[in-house]
Amino acid sequence: HTRYGTVTGVQTCALPICIRHAANIADPAHQLRQKRAAHDRHDDERRGHFGFLAEAVDAERENGREHDRHEEEAEEKGRLTEALKQSEERLATTLFSIRDAVLATDDTGSVELMNPVAERLTGWNFEEARGKKLDDILQMVQEGNNRATGSLFEHATRGGTEPRRQVRVVAKDGSSIPVERTVAAMIGPRSFLGVVVGLRDISEERR
């Protein structure tokens, strides 16, 4: 029994804990440690929240950068497509405007390009000639003896280029026209691309 009342057995056991707690409350150093611990916990919580926000912001920024990259790639693809279209249009305009006949093949010797002058000289229209072998479309003979000049495609692939040469083109209907012929192999950065042939009608000069 104390002056503050009767102390039971349980209270007696708990008394040392209460005393220590009271001593800790009265201890300024302990109070400071508690404040620091609470502050650290608060900082950890803030860092946790801000860390989550930072990760979300970073992810959003990365998504934005990825979106920008896709837009830039799409714009670049659009510019390249437009440039290619303009280049093809200029090429078509040039081919249809030029006074010489022009034929071009792929790397196997199949006709891929033919302008209207070439159609007139050979008697073949482009839709008929497309995909056929150049040597089947463009028959040529030597002047004077009418001997075949041989495979133009094979000649071009072996020699690369050929100086201007006067021969006769045998048209589809069997008629022949004197022309000045130029042949060149098309070589890309890494491979052979095909053959281009230029033909200038010189029949007017012969008259």
Side-chain angles (χ1 to χ4, degrees), residues 76-134:
E76 181 64 18
K77 183 178 180 181
R79 286 193 293 269
L80 292 174
T81 300
E82 181 62 25
L84 178 60
K85 180 181 177 181
Q86 292 178 3
S87 177
E88 290 175 346
E89 289 176 351
R90 285 194 297 270
L91 176 60
T93 301
T94 300
L95 289 173
F96 276 81
S97 302
I98 196 169
R99 297 178 62 183
D100 293 345
V102 178
L103 300 93
T105 75
D106 61 13
D107 60 343
T108 68
S110 299
V111 174
E112 281 193 330
L113 182 148
M114 189 176 186
N115 71 349
V117 182
E119 291 180 323
R120 180 177 61 82
L121 288 181
T122 64
W124 290 80
N125 65 56
F126 178 52
E127 292 306 319
E128 291 177 318
R130 186 201 297 265
K132 289 184 169 61
K133 296 301 181 181
L134 176 66

Side-chain angles (χ1 to χ4, degrees), residues 8 12-13 20 33-34 37-39 49 52 68-69 74 76 99 101-102 104 126 141 151 159 192 195 198 202:
T8 65
T12 302
C13 294
R20 284 198 302 273
R33 286 193 298 272
Q34 284 187 323
H39 185 269
H49 291 309
F52 174 77
D68 291 342
R69 283 195 293 270
E76 181 64 18
R99 297 178 62 183
V102 178
F126 178 52
V141 295
S151 172
F192 169 73
V195 169
I202 59 174

Side-chain angles (χ1 to χ4, degrees), residues 56-68:
V57 169
D58 287 343
E60 186 64 25
R61 285 176 178 172
E62 183 59 32
N63 289 336
R65 286 193 290 267
E66 186 69 18
H67 178 71
D68 291 342

